[in-house]
Amino acid sequence: MGLPRLVCALLLAWCCCDRRAMGVPGEAEQPTPELVEVEVGSTALLRCSLDSPGNLSHVDWFVVHKEKRTPIFRVRQGQGQSEPGEYQHRLSLQGPGSTLALAQVGPHDERVFLCQSRRPRAQEHHIQLRVYKAPEEPVIQITTNGISVNSQEPEEVATCVGKNGYPLPQVVWYKNRQALKEEKNRIHIQSSQTEESSGLYTLESVLKAQLVKEDKDAQFYCELSYRLPSGNHMKESREVTVPVFYPAERLWLEVEPVGMLKEGDRVEIRCLTDGNPAPHFTISKKDLSTGEMEEQETTDNGILVLDPAEKQHSGVYQCHGLDLEDTTSLSSDTQNLLVNYVSDVRVTPIAPESEEGGSLTLTCKAESNQPLTFQWLREKTGQVLEEGPTLELLGLKREAEGGYRCVASVPSIPGLNRTQLVYVAIFGPPWMALKERRVWVREDTVQNLSCEASGHPQPTISWNVNGTVATEQEQNPLRVLSTLSVLVTPELLETGVQCTASNFLGRNTTTIFLTQVGLTTLTPDSSTAAGPSTSTVSPHARANSTSTEKKLREPESKGVVIVAVIVCILVLAVLGAVLYFFYKKGKLPCGRSGKQEITLPPSRKSELVVEVKSDKLPEEMGLLQGSTGDKRAPGDQGEKYIDLRH
């Protein structure tokens, strides 16, 4: 049996030697190809580097794919020509014929290229083409509305997508700048890839994790690592925060604004918790009569709004929270709320009154939970009269009548104060503004006439004419205002209107004279607005002997006089210009007494008449006449004619 085994071994050795000697394809050791790296879309330069270059004018190029050689280009006598196929329009010869340029490189071009020369002997050179493409910026997206810390297995946190990269990039997940690695039952990273029609890859990676309460502010992001001909690179996504749900451990109350509160403030009482999501809140206040906590009406987000805050809002408050997921209930510590106040400001006597020359003592009191200061002001002027709760008024005169205000304030809390107004009355007959007044009106229009008076006791006002509408209103306990609407008639223009104020101590009267407004009359009181005009007789300017206040100014006729003078000057200027014109023409003799005839052509002697016409109203012309001492007949309308015919 030994001989046959020996024969078989010899035959096998001979066959192996014979196959190696014959150079059977695939059996010889393949040389290491040259590596060429390019980016997608660029041009790859494939250099045919042979051991013995010899004559490169006769070279054949092949692409090797799945151990199959496919001719793609040939060089003959230094001239190149592409073979039909996918590379036909992208290959060109560079230089003396040793370099082949492949344009618009794509992922499908990542193959082995081979150049072959048979002169002077058969030689081959292999080139491995590597193609790269940087992926787009990674896009991260939260894929959950929130993760509960009570979850028993990893839940999906976020998804990272990197599009159009080649070759496939690598993804790394980070939390707070720390790389995450697979951890059983804690962290799981699942990645998938999609090859596009262009040959580029889209990578999608999903991070799943179990989170804890401390992860509520954690920053997650993903990183794509890839290679280019220039080296290794990476791109990072934006950072995201994932909602983490965890039960509340405690509740507390918060009050805004912070600091001392006062009546009138807008106060918000809100419940806060360390849980997420927040439980359902209710706020209760302790009832002082029963000692029980009573629920208060709050907004949807558990906020109690006190607007405006009042002293009865002071008290003890507490917050309650109910977790709807596990039905657990929590309560906060009680908190005391204090609303500082000033109330019930009162002045005695309530209605102070005195005879003229007498004295009064006003006393102010108020209630507050803080120390108070008092101040007295004159209502009409705002002048500070006294600091303190008591105001002494000595030697009273009619001018002292009116309002006095007591201000009670808390110095330690700016803006916390209350006031009380009281009117001091001085016995006496009514006061009127003026004995008489002139009002500019238009005939056959409705005019509102107002009359104001003051006194103690409060006077009543009456009119000596009947109006269509009469209103009377109290300005304060000492003053009354009456308004009468009348139709302006010729009778009223002649007689005027009287208003009379009276009380049991006396009476006083004001006469209102109505003056018709002319077309050219300019007065401060004239009104061109539609509807009835109004004239008010105010008591601020006293006509009484005891008053020290200024009288109201009566409208003056200065405007009428000025306008009349200006118009007369213009008329005289025109007349003078005409006379001067004829004088210069030599047609107006001067220096003779008696009438002189102006020389004119016979046909025109009877035609020349110079008319000087004034548009002044009769009363205005009267003013001018009064200044020269001349008077005009009643029928004269203010026109002057100079007859130049005789």
Side-chain angles (χ1 to χ4, degrees):
M1 295 296 294
L3 183 61
R5 290 183 177 179
L6 181 60
V7 173
C8 290
L10 291 175
L11 289 175
L12 181 61
W14 179 79
C15 290
C16 292
C17 292
D18 184 64
R19 287 172 60 87
R20 186 176 299 273
M22 293 178 64
V24 177
E27 296 297 333
E29 183 179 355
Q30 296 292 336
T32 302
E34 178 187 357
L35 183 63
V36 175
E37 297 180 321
V38 295
E39 291 191 44
V40 170
S42 61
T43 299
L45 299 179
L46 309 177
R47 182 180 301 276
C48 186
S49 301
L50 300 175
D51 295 338
S52 300
N55 186 5
L56 292 176
S57 62
H58 190 95
V59 176
D60 293 314
W61 285 88
F62 301 88
V63 61
V64 180
H65 182 58
K66 295 182 179 179
E67 298 186 357
K68 179 182 177 181
R69 294 185 178 185
T70 301
I72 58 173
F73 199 83
R74 65 176 181 270
V75 181
R76 298 292 185 268
Q77 302 299 325
Q79 300 296 321
Q81 183 178 357
S82 296
E83 299 288 350
E86 60 176 314
Y87 294 98
Q88 183 175 359
H89 302 292
R90 293 194 291 143
L91 294 173
S92 61
L93 197 62
Q94 299 286 326
S98 62
T99 302
L100 187 64
L102 174 60
Q104 295 296 319
V105 174
H108 299 299
D109 297 326
E110 189 170 83
R111 298 175 180 177
V112 175
F113 292 83
L114 180 148
C115 67
Q116 185 182 71
S117 175
R118 297 186 180 277
R119 297 178 183 180
R121 60 184 181 84
Q123 297 183 75
E124 293 181 353
H125 180 68
H126 294 75
I127 302 172
Q128 175 65 60
L129 181 62
R130 295 291 185 192
V131 181
Y132 301 95
K133 169 68 169 63
E136 299 175 6
E137 294 291 333
V139 177
I140 189 171
Q141 185 176 2
I142 299 175
T143 55
T144 178
N145 293 327
I147 297 177
S148 174
V149 297
N150 297 325
S151 177
Q152 301 299 317
E153 58 185 23
E155 293 192 20
E156 189 171 309
V157 176
T159 300
C160 181
V161 177
K163 295 183 178 181
N164 299 325
Y166 192 88
L168 188 69
Q170 300 296 318
V171 63
V172 179
W173 283 93
Y174 289 84
K175 182 181 76 172
N176 296 332
R177 295 288 169 179
Q178 297 293 324
L180 298 176
K181 297 182 179 180
E182 287 275 351
E183 185 177 343
K184 186 176 181 180
N185 296 330
R186 292 283 298 170
I187 299 174
H188 178 58
I189 300 174
Q190 181 180 352
S191 300
S192 61
Q193 66 188 52
T194 302
E195 183 176 1
E196 309 294 343
S197 59
S198 61
L200 302 177
Y201 291 105
T202 293
L203 173 68
E204 180 175 340
S205 180
V206 179
L207 172 64
K208 295 182 178 181
Q210 270 192 331
L211 302 182
V212 295
K213 180 179 178 180
E214 288 71 21
D215 294 327
K216 60 185 177 66
D217 299 320
Q219 300 288 325
F220 293 88
Y221 70 96
C222 62
E223 175 189 276
L224 296 182
S225 301
Y226 57 95
R227 176 176 170 75
L228 295 177
S230 57
N232 294 324
H233 299 268
M234 61 84 129
K235 290 183 176 181
E236 294 180 349
S237 72
R238 63 183 178 91
E239 294 182 332
V240 296
T241 301
V242 180
V244 179
F245 298 147
Y246 47 90
E249 297 179 359
R250 70 184 188 93
L251 302 179
W252 65 94
L253 280 173
E254 182 179 80
V255 178
E256 290 184 356
V258 179
M260 300 186 73
L261 306 177
K262 64 180 183 296
E263 281 189 316
D265 287 344
R266 175 185 171 87
V267 179
E268 292 186 0
I269 305 175
R270 58 167 52 91
C271 289
L272 298 178
T273 179
D274 60 353
N276 186 39
H280 175 70
F281 291 125
T282 58
I283 298 177
S284 59
K285 179 187 176 186
K286 187 175 184 179
D287 189 326
L288 297 179
S289 60
T290 63
E292 300 292 333
M293 301 298 291
E294 293 186 354
E295 184 175 338
Q296 305 294 302
E297 184 177 354
T298 62
T299 59
D300 293 338
N301 51 358
I303 299 177
L304 177 60
V305 179
L306 309 177
D307 188 18
E310 300 175 353
K311 67 177 182 179
Q312 57 265 30
H313 290 143
S314 298
V316 177
Y317 290 83
Q318 189 175 30
C319 175
H320 308 279
L322 176 63
D323 193 325
L324 300 179
E325 183 176 349
D326 56 10
T327 67
T328 57
S329 178
L330 291 175
S331 297
S332 70
D333 295 335
T334 59
Q335 182 168 337
N336 187 47
L337 181 74
L338 176 61
V339 179
N340 297 283
Y341 66 91
V342 176
S343 65
D344 196 19
V345 181
R346 56 198 180 276
V347 176
T348 54
I350 299 176
E353 57 186 13
S354 173
E355 300 288 345
E356 192 168 2
S359 300
L360 284 174
T361 300
L362 305 181
T363 303
C364 187
K365 296 181 180 179
E367 293 183 1
S368 177
N369 62 324
Q370 299 287 345
L372 290 173
T373 61
F374 295 90
Q375 190 178 61
W376 287 93
L377 307 176
R378 184 67 189 268
E379 179 68 11
K380 181 169 60 177
T381 63
Q383 178 187 2
V384 177
L385 302 177
E386 189 67 46
E387 299 284 350
T390 302
L391 175 64
E392 295 283 348
L393 299 175
L394 305 176
L396 291 170
K397 296 182 180 181
R398 297 293 294 268
E399 290 80 3
E401 187 177 67
Y404 293 80
R405 185 174 296 276
C406 171
V407 181
S409 57
V410 177
S412 59
I413 305 177
L416 179 55
N417 60 70
R418 290 291 183 270
T419 68
Q420 180 62 47
L421 179 65
V422 65
Y423 287 94
V424 171
I426 308 297
F427 286 102
W431 294 0
M432 303 293 286
L434 295 169
K435 289 298 182 182
E436 60 182 32
R437 179 185 174 94
R438 186 172 301 276
V439 178
W440 300 93
V441 298
R442 295 183 185 275
E443 189 174 350
D444 295 329
T445 61
V446 176
Q447 181 79 18
N448 290 337
L449 304 177
S450 297
C451 189
E452 189 174 0
S454 63
H456 184 67
Q458 188 184 67
T460 58
I461 295 178
S462 60
W463 299 83
N464 69 333
V465 296
N466 294 326
T468 56
V469 178
T471 60
E472 187 170 311
Q473 59 186 14
E474 295 183 1
Q475 301 294 93
N476 59 48
L478 307 176
R479 182 171 298 173
V480 64
L481 172 68
S482 179
T483 302
L484 181 70
S485 297
V486 296
L487 178 64
V488 179
T489 63
E491 292 77 11
L492 288 182
L493 290 173
E494 293 182 4
T495 62
V497 179
Q498 286 186 345
C499 66
T500 301
S502 59
N503 60 17
F504 74 86
L505 294 176
R507 56 189 298 157
N508 213 332
T509 300
T510 292
T511 302
I512 304 174
F513 293 102
L514 306 181
T515 303
Q516 186 171 0
V517 178
L519 293 178
T520 58
T521 302
L522 302 178
T523 68
D525 291 346
S526 62
S527 174
T528 59
S533 58
T534 301
S535 175
T536 302
V537 180
S538 172
H540 290 297
R542 304 298 180 188
N544 304 276
S545 59
T546 57
S547 174
T548 60
E549 301 180 21
K550 292 183 180 180
K551 291 185 178 181
L552 293 177
R553 293 173 51 193
E554 280 197 51
E556 300 176 359
S557 59
K558 292 182 179 179
V560 178
V561 176
I562 293 173
V563 171
V565 171
I566 292 174
V567 172
C568 289
I569 292 174
L570 292 177
V571 171
L572 294 175
V574 172
L575 180 58
V578 172
L579 296 176
Y580 181 74
F581 172 77
F582 286 109
Y583 172 74
K584 295 296 290 184
K585 292 293 185 179
K587 298 180 181 181
L588 185 62
C590 295
R592 299 180 183 178
S593 61
K595 297 183 179 178
Q596 299 294 330
E597 182 176 345
I598 299 177
T599 303
L600 289 173
S603 61
R604 304 209 37 200
K605 271 190 177 183
S606 61
E607 298 178 5
L608 180 58
V609 176
V610 179
E611 177 182 347
V612 181
K613 187 175 182 178
S614 172
D615 57 357
K616 295 291 172 296
L617 294 178
E619 59 270 23
E620 297 168 350
M621 296 301 297
L623 290 173
L624 294 176
Q625 293 167 4
S627 64
T628 59
D630 297 333
K631 296 185 179 180
R632 176 174 290 120
D636 193 346
Q637 297 301 315
E639 300 179 357
K640 292 182 180 181
Y641 296 89
I642 301 176
D643 191 348
L644 302 180
R645 293 176 291 180
H646 301 288

